[in-house]
Amino acid sequence: MSPVRRIAREEWRALSRDRVAMLGLLLLTVLTLVAALNAAEHRRTADAERGRYQSQANDEFANQPDRHPHRVAHFGHFVFRPLNPLAAFDPGIDAYTGHTLFLEAHRQNGANFGDVRQSSLLLRFGQLTPAFILQVLAPLLLVFVGHNCVTRERESGTLRVLLSQGLGSGQVVMGKLLALLGFAGLVLLPALLALLWLAASGQAAWAPVLVLACAYAAWLLLWSLLVTLASTVFRRGRDALLGLLATWTVLVILLPRGVSDLAGSVVAMPTRFENAIHVEREYQALGNAHRPDDPKFAEFRDRILEQYGVTSIEELPVNFKGLVGTEGERRSSELFNRYAAEVFDLQERQNHLVDQYGWLSPTLALRRLSMTVAGTDLASFRHFLEQGEQYRYDLVQRLNRLQSGEITYADDTDPDKENRISHAHWQAFPDFHYQPFPVDQALRRAAPAGAMLLAWLAALASLTWLLGGRLGRAVR
Amino acid sequence: MSWLIHELRLILRSRLSLCALLLLLALAAAAVGIGLHEVARQHQAIERVGPLQEQDAAAVAARYADTGDPGSHAYYTFYGTWDAPSDAAFLALGLRDVAPFVLRVRALGLQSQLYEGETFNPELALSGRFDFAFVLIYLAPLFVIALLHDLVSGERQSGRLRLLLSIADGGSLWRRRVALRYALLFACLAVPVVAGMLLSGASMAAMGVVLAVVASYLAFWCGLSLLVAARNWPTVANATALMGGWVLLTLVLPTLANVALTRAIPVHQGVDLMLAQRQAVHGAWEIPREDTMRRFYDSHPEWRHSAPLPDGFHWKWYLAFHQLGDESVADEVSAYRAGLQARQEWTARLGWLLPGVSAQALLHRVADTDLRAQLDYQDRIAGFHREIRQFYYPYLFEDRPIGARDFADRPVYEASPGPSGSVGLHALLALGLCWGIGLWGVLCAGRLGLR
């Protein structure tokens, strides 16, 4: 048996007798199981509820009576954001974003009814999910369990004995690291099983699941290295513990909040109120699409007349009111999308700023990677909103086409006529089907965060290697 | 007093203690600064939207001035409402970063306007704010632990314990040392907060509550540290036990409680009422207009004398069915709010068990940034919305044209000046339990080191 493995085995034996280690491991395992079951159950019920609401909204849309198509465009439609299967592992921003989007003509609404506004302040303490446990609690357990792995030998004088038997100090440190890694493996196991189960049961794809598994394994490896390193560097166990606890507090608790706050104040976000007024102003300048005689649509009218080779809108074979509606919707959607993109870009600038601090706190890098791969980050939410907008645009334009094709201009401008068209038309409308954020794109987006984690790993590994080798000199 | 100076010198000479105290002071000061900055930003935003909203209303008035048509004015004019941060809001920003503090409404159905969200970055909100509540509830206990975990074991491990106990009475020695550390930690937190509250002009009562929260929460953690120290474990075991307690009380148990709470009190009526209100409003186009008017007059007899509807479109019918739409979901609305309030109440009850939750709830109550503050704002919006409707109805139901001068008399949102939230007595009582732990710890201090 190699000396490294022998030292690891001895350390394992010590760990198994350590009450804190065993109690901590037991608690964390129970907690992970509770979190995994709860998160899976929450995802299942939330997704089922949203699915039920979606089919209710689909029914209500399809079961409208005969109506004027523009009435239908104002009746509008609801779409509900389905919950990504991997939200059962890392729900990310799900609780902080609305999941209900109301679609109507000439308006772009925000997603409403997020959990955060419907919860007491308890939600702000964090959510009990497997990701939270691995990100926040697991490193702490490794600190408690491993902070004295080398210092114990040093304080009791056994390190000197080991070294005098011809062991290299690097070998001692490697043995300790190996033992701690074994323990970290046990910590990771329940969450890993929950994750693999998501893939094996066919709910989630294998690629993101495996990437998440590797990322969290790297995360615990990183902390095992950090703990072993501290235990090598500090002379006394209590100093190593205090140093590691301070490091944990700064990296896991303090920096994520501080950096987020910083990003929020460096890149300020306009209120929805202000944006709505600016949009309204520009919208007025586009012309009123309800009025075919609006001068802002004169050029459009001339073009249409020329296209059909007629001299007045009354001679057109189609309903000009519907055409103006189509053109107005095109113009206003462009305007809305411009403003929406501005907001998204501001948000992305904020997130990019936070991401840069991943070099300072690997917690940020891991969180970015985890949320992105799980499909519960802002990009994935944006993906939903954009699909919702596309669906809204297609829906309204289809109704505008119905107005121009099914109703004559003479009827449509007669205030005494209701001009209802058959309800069979809306029954033929396609339902909203959310396409999840493509996995390969998500993986590509997560790559920089992965690189940061790897850089942290490489730096810590070489430091441990370097200082572990020098430990012998310090003792002698 | 010489013991005081002596002990003070001891603390200040220890690099760890001095660094810890200075760091806590810096963190608390930074949190207060960040909070004040954010509150100022919100005040600025509110000041910015006021004139902007006026311009928007003026543009609507100019567009429809010559028509004198009250319906177009009612349909197109938005009204600004705002929820200015309280003087103590900087302490705990709470829901103010995810819920709108400025919202515009118009005379149409309120229920489709009231739940409008705010544009915020959910990833930043997920991390939470770096405010004073965070420093107190999460970080302050860590500093208590750092200063107190080796109170006795440190002396024992350095070999001074026997000597110390032989020249002084153990109980009073430890009590003095803990009291001094407690006072220093309290000062590090209290000085920035008091400065911030004086700057923002918060009331003395609010300041009293906040200081009571800080004092009680610290007392709890000092008491717990003494109780652990009384076990006479080595330093590392003390630190492990205390950190374990901190993780349980601030990270694990609140999240577990949140799981239990969201499961026990599901709140999905929000979506239900939105769907129901839409059906009610748009259904009005399918039924005889006279039926709608009859239903409206039944609940609003003051407009019964209004002339019968003409053949074509009439705005009074349009606004009437919007109001009926709101009224038809009144039950759903109260069920939704009851669910939210139940969540809030159970959180407060949880404060009896978890001091962190209790301190969090109290700070957010004083700051007026919790769920209740949000519901209060919604109530104020609803009240103002009623005024807007009342303003237009005489013109609509009596077929009076609306002139420029009439329009200038339209209601203006008057924010009720909220200095800071009022705190219930029972919430303070829950804090009293913290003192129970604190006193217990002090009582145990006599036994410290005697084994």
Side-chain angles (χ1 to χ4, degrees):
Chain A
M1 194 186 280
S2 81
V4 172
R5 279 177 58 191
R6 210 163 53 228
I7 287 176
R9 210 185 48 184
E10 281 307 309
E11 181 69 15
W12 255 94
R13 198 171 295 163
L15 276 180
S16 65
R17 277 193 231 112
D18 184 349
R19 264 192 309 171
V20 171
M22 287 304 117
L23 192 68
L25 183 63
L26 184 72
L27 273 180
L28 208 69
T29 306
V30 171
L31 218 55
T32 312
L33 290 177
V34 171
L37 286 175
N38 176 66
E41 165 74 9
H42 173 77
R43 193 209 81 84
R44 208 177 52 78
T45 48
D47 199 44
E49 191 180 273
R50 293 177 198 178
R52 207 172 56 242
Y53 277 128
Q54 186 65 69
S55 54
Q56 184 186 339
N58 291 347
D59 286 348
E60 283 176 3
F61 186 83
N63 291 334
Q64 291 177 84
D66 295 355
R67 271 180 178 160
H68 188 286
H70 198 62
R71 186 82 275 114
V72 175
H74 277 292
F75 179 77
H77 206 328
F78 280 94
V79 294
F80 295 84
R81 180 168 56 89
L83 202 45
N84 196 308
L86 281 172
F89 179 78
D90 183 356
I93 60 170
D94 178 62
Y96 290 81
T97 53
H99 49 71
T100 309
L101 194 58
F102 180 49
L103 314 175
E104 59 182 320
H106 350 289
R107 263 173 83 85
Q108 197 176 69
N109 296 304
N112 289 336
F113 294 109
D115 281 343
V116 66
R117 286 185 63 191
Q118 310 187 127
S119 303
S120 67
L121 292 159
L122 275 183
L123 181 69
R124 293 308 188 86
F125 279 92
Q127 285 167 287
L128 191 67
T129 63
F132 168 78
I133 289 176
L134 290 181
Q135 285 174 17
V136 177
L137 302 183
L140 200 57
L141 183 60
L142 292 182
V143 167
F144 283 135
V145 166
H147 71 273
N148 60 356
C149 62
V150 179
T151 50
R152 197 177 56 235
E153 307 280 1
R154 198 163 170 175
E155 281 175 301
S156 64
T158 42
L159 183 60
R160 207 182 290 257
V161 179
L162 285 174
L163 295 184
S164 67
Q165 286 170 348
L167 276 173
S169 67
Q171 284 176 315
V172 175
V173 173
M174 280 306 131
K176 300 290 187 185
L177 177 64
L178 200 62
L180 197 56
L181 282 178
F183 187 80
L186 286 182
V187 170
L188 183 65
L189 194 63
L192 201 61
L193 289 178
L195 201 54
L196 292 178
W197 176 77
L198 284 176
S201 63
Q203 297 178 55
W206 277 101
V209 163
L210 290 178
V211 170
L212 280 178
C214 291
Y216 280 93
W219 171 245
L220 293 190
L221 172 61
L222 190 153
W223 274 95
S224 303
L225 280 168
L226 201 61
V227 169
T228 316
L229 187 65
S231 194
T232 311
V233 172
F234 284 99
R235 250 164 232 285
R236 294 188 303 175
R238 48 177 293 202
D239 296 341
L241 181 64
L242 276 185
L244 281 168
L245 288 180
T247 310
W248 175 83
T249 307
V250 171
L251 293 186
V252 178
I253 304 285
L254 202 62
L255 273 178
R257 273 202 196 230
V259 169
S260 292
D261 227 293
L262 182 78
S265 57
V266 169
V267 183
M269 197 78 100
T271 58
R272 181 183 287 277
F273 190 117
E274 290 164 275
N275 263 357
I277 288 183
H278 293 311
V279 167
E280 180 68 25
R281 265 188 209 163
E282 291 195 36
Y283 179 68
Q284 289 301 335
L286 293 178
N288 187 346
H290 292 106
R291 294 175 44 196
D293 54 345
D294 191 302
K296 306 256 171 40
F297 286 97
E299 196 195 322
F300 173 71
R301 185 195 56 210
D302 296 344
R303 207 167 63 231
I304 292 291
L305 292 181
E306 193 185 346
Q307 196 179 323
Y308 281 92
V310 289
T311 49
S312 72
I313 47 183
E314 284 78 10
E315 294 167 50
L316 283 171
V318 287
N319 175 3
F320 183 66
K321 254 189 117 172
L323 294 185
V324 169
T326 313
E327 172 67 7
E329 197 63 41
R330 188 188 64 74
R331 293 181 189 178
S332 59
S333 298
E334 252 176 40
L335 166 68
F336 299 147
N337 289 341
R338 180 154 51 79
Y339 272 89
E342 258 171 43
V343 167
F344 276 127
D345 290 347
L346 282 178
Q347 288 173 328
E348 267 174 25
R349 266 175 59 200
Q350 291 178 331
N351 289 349
H352 183 69
L353 203 73
V354 173
D355 287 349
Q356 289 310 304
Y357 281 86
W359 297 112
L360 207 63
S361 165
T363 317
L364 291 168
L366 176 76
R367 235 180 44 175
R368 155 70 48 234
L369 191 150
S370 179
M371 275 198 291
T372 304
V373 174
T376 51
D377 63 338
L378 187 71
S380 161
F381 181 59
R382 176 178 188 169
H383 187 63
F384 163 76
L385 289 182
E386 284 173 350
Q387 280 180 60
E389 168 57 22
Q390 188 59 47
Y391 183 72
R392 181 195 77 83
Y393 185 71
D394 293 343
L395 188 95
V396 174
Q397 292 302 44
R398 194 167 167 164
L399 288 164
N400 282 331
R401 278 199 300 278
L402 282 173
Q403 187 180 357
S404 54
E406 299 287 321
I407 304 173
T408 64
Y409 183 71
D411 284 345
D412 214 10
T413 44
D414 182 349
D416 293 331
K417 285 204 164 174
E418 284 195 321
N419 295 309
R420 294 171 185 252
I421 64 171
S422 163
H423 60 276
H425 288 294
W426 4 114
Q427 287 172 347
F429 272 46
D431 289 341
F432 175 69
H433 289 290
Y434 172 66
Q435 299 300 320
F437 198 69
V439 171
D440 54 328
Q441 268 188 52
L443 293 181
R444 213 170 311 136
R445 286 184 70 97
M452 281 181 192
L453 276 181
L454 285 181
W456 266 88
L457 273 184
L460 285 174
S462 30
L463 257 181
T464 312
W465 180 259
L466 200 75
L467 297 176
R470 286 208 195 139
L471 180 63
R473 255 177 283 166
V475 174
R476 262 178 226 124
Chain B
M1 284 317 270
S2 65
W3 67 267
L4 187 67
I5 295 161
H6 172 68
E7 290 286 344
L8 202 57
R9 203 179 291 150
L10 273 182
I11 292 180
L12 298 185
R13 212 181 285 159
S14 145
R15 239 187 328 159
L16 176 72
S17 307
L18 187 63
C19 285
L21 286 170
L22 288 179
L23 187 61
L24 182 62
L25 183 68
L27 287 171
V32 167
I34 288 172
L36 286 171
H37 175 76
E38 172 63 21
V39 166
R41 199 188 64 81
Q42 294 188 0
H43 275 299
Q44 280 163 11
I46 290 172
E47 274 164 31
R48 239 184 4 248
V49 299
L52 211 56
Q53 181 57 49
E54 282 311 305
Q55 289 167 17
D56 190 56
V60 173
R63 221 178 311 142
Y64 299 101
D66 48 347
T67 64
D69 174 20
S72 301
H73 282 82
Y75 185 86
Y76 290 105
T77 312
F78 278 92
Y79 292 81
T81 72
W82 51 90
D83 179 26
S86 78
D87 296 334
F90 73 91
L91 290 170
L93 297 162
L95 286 170
R96 294 189 69 89
D97 60 343
V98 293
F101 55 86
V102 283
L103 190 77
R104 30 185 240 154
V105 290
R106 51 179 170 165
L108 308 188
L110 175 67
Q111 293 302 321
S112 57
Q113 307 177 61
L114 195 56
Y115 309 104
E116 191 71 40
E118 183 54 270
T119 35
F120 65 94
N121 186 342
E123 287 195 10
L124 298 190
L126 177 66
S127 309
R129 297 305 299 249
F130 192 90
D131 51 14
F132 180 74
F134 167 69
V135 171
L136 176 68
I137 286 145
Y138 287 86
L139 302 184
L142 297 176
F143 286 89
V144 175
I145 295 172
L147 256 60
L148 291 181
H149 77 280
D150 62 347
L151 182 70
V152 185
S153 54
E155 301 290 0
R156 186 188 297 121
Q157 275 158 1
S158 63
R160 286 190 300 261
L161 186 62
R162 255 164 218 282
L163 181 71
L164 262 177
L165 289 180
S166 67
I167 53 172
D169 165 33
S172 66
L173 173 76
W174 304 128
R175 261 176 232 132
R176 274 195 327 229
R177 288 200 164 174
V178 172
L180 186 63
R181 282 164 174 77
Y182 174 81
L184 287 172
L185 286 163
F186 180 76
C188 289
L189 290 166
V191 168
V193 161
V194 169
M197 293 189 95
L198 288 177
L199 266 177
S200 70
S203 71
M204 281 297 146
M207 203 183 297
V209 173
V210 172
L211 291 180
V213 170
V214 174
S216 312
Y217 193 58
L218 280 182
F220 170 81
W221 281 101
C222 285
L224 198 67
S225 303
L226 278 172
L227 287 176
V228 170
R231 317 287 299 185
N232 287 320
W233 288 331
T235 302
V236 166
N238 285 347
T240 306
L242 285 170
M243 272 307 277
W246 178 84
V247 167
L248 271 183
L249 289 175
T250 57
L251 294 180
V252 175
L253 293 178
T255 53
L256 266 176
N258 190 38
V259 167
L261 204 63
T262 40
R263 295 190 139 229
I265 312 168
V267 176
H268 46 67
Q269 299 93 331
V271 181
D272 283 331
L273 78 88
M274 200 134 157
L275 288 168
Q277 196 249 11
R278 179 181 69 149
Q279 284 293 358
V281 166
H282 287 269
W285 291 87
E286 311 308 326
I287 53 175
R289 296 185 302 165
E290 285 68 25
D291 289 2
T292 304
M293 294 319 286
R294 207 169 304 126
R295 269 179 56 218
F296 181 76
Y297 293 143
D298 281 348
S299 48
H300 303 275
E302 66 271 29
W303 304 115
R304 201 180 274 281
H305 62 276
S306 180
L309 287 174
D311 275 346
F313 175 84
H314 196 290
W315 280 109
K316 68 180 173 189
W317 166 71
Y318 188 86
L319 287 175
F321 77 65
H322 268 270
Q323 177 146 14
L324 284 176
D326 277 351
E327 285 165 9
S328 72
V329 293
D331 289 344
E332 277 101 334
V333 172
S334 55
Y336 181 55
R337 291 181 59 112
L340 297 184
Q341 268 155 355
R343 284 185 171 183
Q344 179 79 13
E345 276 160 27
W346 275 101
T347 305
R349 273 175 214 157
L350 202 68
W352 289 91
L353 295 177
L354 301 174
V357 173
S358 150
Q360 173 100 330
L362 269 169
L363 278 186
H364 282 80
R365 189 80 286 280
V366 175
D368 207 25
T369 54
D370 53 1
L371 194 59
R372 198 173 117 193
Q374 199 195 325
L375 293 177
D376 286 347
Y377 178 42
Q378 290 187 351
D379 284 344
R380 290 202 296 275
I381 296 174
F384 178 58
H385 189 259
R386 216 169 298 131
E387 273 182 54
I388 300 174
R389 278 181 166 152
Q390 296 301 335
F391 170 72
Y392 285 110
Y393 283 179
Y395 297 102
L396 286 163
F397 286 91
E398 292 163 6
D399 283 317
R400 276 158 45 192
I402 191 165
R405 197 169 301 159
D406 302 320
F407 187 66
D409 278 344
R410 68 189 183 281
V412 176
Y413 182 76
E414 311 247 11
S416 62
S420 52
S422 58
V423 176
L425 195 64
H426 60 282
L428 282 172
L429 277 178
L431 265 193
L433 287 182
C434 292
W435 287 102
I437 299 285
L439 283 177
W440 189 12
V442 170
L443 287 178
C444 287
R447 280 193 282 123
L448 287 181
L450 296 178
R451 209 172 52 182

